[in-house]
Each structure stands twice: as structure tokens, then as C-alpha cells.
């Protein structure tokens, strides 16, 4: 472990894998350290994979990536206790290659992505936790791991260690994460025969459906639910802002919220007969534009959830993670080529590239959305109730425009 690398990447989720792959493919010496038993073993996502971010890194990923179903139909439901009002958008355009989004199971997907990282030439070490960054004055020069003699050095350390980035906090790059900037989500995977899924959702072969939901299911808390079709399983979950869970007078627990959601008369039949084999809970950084911290400095860059790069309005995180990972690696590659060192000045191109990408442009566009929803809890109480009541009592009038 005493060797020196060009780049050390901490974490093997989508952001870390994108960074390690891009840097290794360009010929840099890369060490990637992951605390899980294998990449993906600790990772949680819905999960929808938006193809374009990965396409820019591995253009032919469709040839061998473990993809579950391509999404051809998107449903949006506003739920009351007993009913829902919804929109369904389905298009055969989504059945024409190249398909633009897929459901995935992260444990398999991250493992596959990591195999590409190794093929590109990076050294990947699992079951190893990075305890802290090594500093020479204010320059990050490496990391210390929980292995004997576990000090290892690099010109640049890329922090891809996820939402609760203890390393950035310990080094003073981040303040403590605030509960108003993170959502707590729980999800389950229910297995059932492929034919059952295809009959229930009116799809065939590798076609899939996603349902995004909000309304009374979150007990007045700011949050959403989701249900995604995989090949032979269904993922179902719900998440709300952590500060709302804390302040909620009913003290609703996340798992109780999910149980209630699964029992909803419109959701229960979709899950009936399935065998639940996986349950997990995870934080999602949903503070948006205003919560993005400083993301580079002397010898370090922050990517993915660790930098708060999630667009909650679009329900996207993994593609922002992969794009930020790629841009950080490209910055390290350019700094190495320039040969002028790895101080903040040489790594500032990372922030400029982020600002120029969809990542910061989208986060900026939706910068006020978290507050709009948070300050107007009627989106999760009164409005769903009114819409559903109107549909029930005035079914024709609300859907027909008067001449
Ligand atoms: C329930 C849920 C549903 C979601 N659904 C979607 C979706 O449908 N579509 C979408 O695009 N996004 C979704 N997201 C968001 C998406 O999962 C994240 O944005 C994405 O995983 C971020 O990737 P990352 O690589 O930055 O972090 P992570 O995937 O969290 O990876 C961080 C890695 O770092 C490792 N690590 C942490 N600390 C250390 C350490 N000290 N030493 C070594 N290793 C360490 C961890 O073990 C982990 O492997 C969802 C998130 C959740 C929780």
C-alpha cells in the first residue's frame, strides 16, 4: 500500500466507477477503494438508469450490462387513501433502439461497472474503508485505510463515498449534513414470475413500466413513492425529507409508511403473491443547488451523492453521479497532461465543466423547488384529496374543457 498513484477514488458506486474508469482508460494509474464486500453490495437505488450519462462513458454498455427492462411507460399517480388520479404516458418510440432508460438492480449493475473499471486497468480493492485523508499542509496527498500499513498516496483523491461523506466532513470540506437537505427512503424488492409482471402491467419481453406517486401515502410529509418493474421482480419504495420525519407529530416510521403504501387498494394487487427478498433504507441528498458544497481544492474533488448532486425534481441521481465522476477524472487527466501540479488552481476546471453541464444547469433551474414543496404541505394533503374527490364526484367535468 506504500505505492503512489495518479488518482485514488474512494467508493465504487456510479460516481466512483465513472471516475476510476475514465482515468484508467486514459492511462492514469488508479487505485479505487470500496468498503463493501463487492461494488454494489452496500448500494441502494430505485432504480432507473438514464442511458445518456453511461453512454458517454461506455458507448456499447447495452451489449453486456445487466439491464432489467427498458421503460416504455411512465405513470404518475396522485393518491388519496382509497383512490388515485393518474396520467399514463406510453410510446412505442421507447421501443426503438437505442433505448433511453432502463430498470436496474444496483448490486448487479455496480459489479458489472466495476469489472469494466478493472479491465480499463485500475486496481480495485474491496472490504477496505478509508478512515481519513492524508494532508501535507493544505494539500491532500493520499488516504489512510483500515488495513495495516494502509497509508497510500496519490496526486489527486476523488471522493465518491456517497451521501454521508464522512471523509469530506472530517477534513472540513463539508459541514455536517442537515436533515432538511436529505430524504430517507426505504424500498423492497418483491419477486414473482415474469409472466405475472407482464400481464399485470400490459408489457411483453423486456418492456417495463414505472409508477411515480405522491399524495396521502406520505402522511403529509414532503416525499414520493415509486414502483418499478424489473425482469422478474418489482421494486416498491417511499421516501420523505428526514427533517419531516423528525418533526412529524404522528412519528410515522419509514417502514410503516411503506407498509401503508403497499396496502393501498390500487397498489396491493400489483404486488399480490410476490415474495419480498430485499429490504433496504438509504439517504438521498435532496437539498439541490443551494446545498452543493465546495467540490474541489488542493489535491481533491468531490463527485456524486457526496457533493449533493441529485435532481429530486427529475428523480435522477445516478446519471449526475456518473457525469460528475467523468468530469472529475477528465480534470485530473488534463492536470496531469499540463504538468503544473494538482492544486485548486489546476483542478478548478472541474467546477467550470460542471457549470457547463446539465448537472448544474438543471440543479440551478429547479433551485427553488425543494422549498416550494416544503413550504406548501398541501401538495401532500389537501390537493391530492381535492383532486381525487373531484374525480369521484364530477368525473366528466374535470376532464372535459368547456367550449
Ligand atoms: C431508494 C433510492 C432510490 C433511488 N432511485 C434512483 C433512480 O431511480 N434513478 C437515479 O438516477 N437515482 C436514484 N437514486 C439516487 C442514486 O442511487 C444515487 O444518486 C447514486 O447512487 C449516487 O452514486 P454515488 O456513487 O455518488 O454514491 P453511492 O452509490 O452511495 O456509492 C458510494 C460508495 O462509496 C462507498 N464508501 C462510502 N464510504 C467509504 C469509505 N470511507 N471507504 C470506502 N468506501 C466507501 C460505499 O460503500 C458505496 O459503494 C435513488 C436513491 C435511493 C436511496
Amino acid at each position: 500500500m506504500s505505492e503512489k498513484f495518479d488518482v485514488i477514488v474512494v467508493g465504487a458506486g456510479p460516481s466512483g466507477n465513472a471516475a476510476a474508469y475514465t482515468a484508467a482508460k486514459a492511462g492514469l494509474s488508479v487505485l479505487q477503494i470500496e468498503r463493501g464486500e463487492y461494488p454494489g453490495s452496500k448500494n441502494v437505488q430505485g432504480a432507473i438508469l438514464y442511458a445518456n450519462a453511461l453512454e458517454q462513458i461506455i458507448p456499447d454498455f447495452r451489449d453486456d450490462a445487466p439491464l432489467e427492462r427498458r421503460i416504455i411507460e411512465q405513470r404518475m399517480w396522485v393518491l388519496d387513501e382509497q383512490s388515485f388520479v393518474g396520467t399514463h404516458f406510453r410510446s412505442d418510440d421507447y421501443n426503438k433502439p437505442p433505448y433511453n432508460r432502463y430498470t436496474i438492480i444496483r448490486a448487479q449493475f455496480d459489479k458489472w461497472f466495476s469489472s469494466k473499471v478493472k479491465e480499463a486497468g485500475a486496481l480495485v480493492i474491496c472490504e477496505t474503508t478509508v478512515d481519513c485523508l492524508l494532508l501535507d499542509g493544505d494539500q491532500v496527498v493520499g488516504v489512510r485505510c483500515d488495513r495495516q500499513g494502509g497509508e497510500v498516496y496519490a496526486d489527486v483523491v476523488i471522493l465518491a463515498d456517497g451521501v454521508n461523506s464522512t471523509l469530506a466532513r472530517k477534513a472540513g470540506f463539508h459541514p455536517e449534513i442537515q436533515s432538511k437537505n436529505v430524504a430517507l427512503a426505504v424500498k423492497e424488492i418483491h419477486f414473482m414470475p415474469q409472466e405475472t409482471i407482464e400481464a399485470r402491467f400490459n408489457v411483453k419481453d423486456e418492456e417495463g413500466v414505472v409508477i411515480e406517486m405522491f399524495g396521502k401515502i406520505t402522511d403529509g410529509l414532503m416525499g414520493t413513492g415509486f414502483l418499478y418493474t424489473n425482469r422478474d421482480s418489482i421494486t416498491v419504495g417511499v421516501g420523505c425529507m428526514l427533517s419531516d420525519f423528525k418533526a412529524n407529530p404522528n412519528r410515522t416510521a419509514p417502514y410503516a409508511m411503506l407498509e401503508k403504501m403497499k396496502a393501498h387498494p390500487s397498489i396491493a394487487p400489483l404486488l399480490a403473491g410476490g415474495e419480498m427478498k430485499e429490504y433496504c433504507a438509504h439517504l438521498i441528498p435532496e437539498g439541490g443547488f443551494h446545498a452543493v458544497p465546495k467540490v474541489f481544492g488542493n489535491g481533491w474533488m468531490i463527485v456524486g451523492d457526496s457533493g449533493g448532486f441529485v435532481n429530486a425534481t427529475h428523480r435522477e441521481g445516478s446519471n449526475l453521479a456518473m457525469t460528475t465522476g467523468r468530469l472529475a477524472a477528465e480534470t485530473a487527466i488534463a492536470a496531469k497532461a499540463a504538468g503544473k501540479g494538482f492544486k485548486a488552481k489546476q483542478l478548478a476546471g472541474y467546477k467550470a465543466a460542471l457549470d457547463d453541464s446539465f448537472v448544474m444547469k438543471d440543479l440551478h433551474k429547479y433551485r427553488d423547488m425543494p422549498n416550494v414543496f416544503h413550504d406548501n404541505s398541501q401538495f401532500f394533503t389537501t390537493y391530492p384529496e381535492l383532486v381525487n374527490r373531484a374525480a369521484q364526484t364530477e368525473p366528466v367535468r374535470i376532464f372535459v374543457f368547456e367550449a
Side-chain angles (χ1 to χ4, degrees), residues 11 13-15 34-35 43-46 48 106 130 161 304-305 317-318:
S15 64
E34 164 59 46
R35 70 181 169 186
N43 296 342
V44 181
Q45 189 174 327
I48 305 296
R106 279 288 299 274
V130 173
D161 52 340
D305 276 13
S318 58

Side-chain angles (χ1 to χ4, degrees), residues 8-76:
I8 293 175
V9 178
V10 184
S15 64
N17 283 335
Y21 179 86
T22 307
K25 192 107 201 297
L28 271 57
S29 63
V30 178
L31 171 67
Q32 188 182 32
I33 305 171
E34 164 59 46
R35 70 181 169 186
E37 190 188 339
Y38 57 87
S41 58
K42 283 189 170 283
N43 296 342
V44 181
Q45 189 174 327
I48 305 296
L49 174 78
Y50 302 89
N52 47 356
L54 183 55
E55 226 163 27
Q56 288 190 46
I57 300 165
I58 306 181
D60 57 357
F61 75 91
R62 293 178 181 85
D63 292 349
D64 58 355
L67 307 167
E68 293 285 310
R69 287 176 183 271
R70 60 175 178 276
I71 305 305
I72 64 152
E73 183 176 324
Q74 160 97 44
R75 304 180 185 175
M76 177 65 77

Side-chain angles (χ1 to χ4, degrees), residues 96-285:
K96 295 183 187 126
Y99 310 123
N100 73 347
R101 62 168 104 162
Y102 301 87
T103 45
I104 53 166
I105 293 180
R106 279 288 299 274
Q108 295 162 12
F109 178 80
D110 289 8
K111 228 188 211 177
W112 166 85
F113 203 166
S114 181
S115 72
K116 298 287 173 188
V117 172
K118 288 177 207 154
E119 273 172 31
L123 174 62
V124 182
I125 299 184
C126 293
E127 293 186 280
T128 304
T129 300
V130 173
D131 287 333
C132 64
L133 300 176
L134 298 173
L135 287 145
D136 180 4
D138 62 1
Q139 180 79 23
V140 171
V141 293
V143 300
R144 179 176 298 128
C145 315
D146 64 347
R147 287 186 176 218
Q148 211 179 2
E151 291 195 351
V152 57
Y153 296 88
D155 288 330
V156 186
V157 176
I158 298 180
L159 294 172
D161 52 340
V163 53
N164 196 14
S165 179
T166 46
L167 297 175
R169 274 187 284 137
K170 267 192 209 167
F173 304 155
H174 269 196
E176 192 71 37
I177 47 172
Q178 294 177 34
S179 58
K180 71 177 176 57
N181 287 334
V182 283
L184 173 59
V186 288
K187 73 158 213 186
E188 294 176 353
I189 304 188
H190 293 247
F191 284 78
M192 62 187 71
Q194 210 167 315
E195 312 79 70
T196 308
I197 294 176
E198 290 166 4
R200 277 181 195 174
F201 290 87
N202 185 24
V203 288
K204 60 181 168 25
D205 305 327
E206 288 165 6
E207 297 171 345
V209 172
V210 306
I211 311 179
E212 307 287 359
M213 308 171 221
F214 76 96
K216 300 293 290 267
I217 44 167
T218 56
D219 201 23
L221 278 57
M222 174 176 159
T224 51
F226 58 89
L227 187 150
Y228 302 150
T229 55
N230 304 316
R231 197 175 293 264
D232 59 357
S233 63
I234 290 178
T235 301
V236 59
V238 64
C240 291
M241 298 314 286
L242 191 57
S243 52
D244 284 16
F245 275 123
K246 275 169 66 181
N248 178 18
N250 300 334
R251 312 301 295 169
T252 315
Y255 66 85
M257 192 178 276
L258 182 55
E259 286 304 314
K260 191 174 155 203
M261 180 179 142
K262 287 188 303 175
H264 189 283
S266 300
I267 299 172
L270 301 175
L271 298 172
E275 187 189 355
M276 199 268 276
K277 288 195 186 166
E278 193 179 312
Y279 175 88
C280 37
H282 209 276
L283 295 175
I284 311 177

Side-chain angles (χ1 to χ4, degrees), residues 322-341:
M322 287 188 262
T323 302
T324 55
R326 174 176 62 81
L327 294 176
E330 286 172 357
T331 307
I333 295 163
K336 170 124 178 128
K340 291 184 179 163

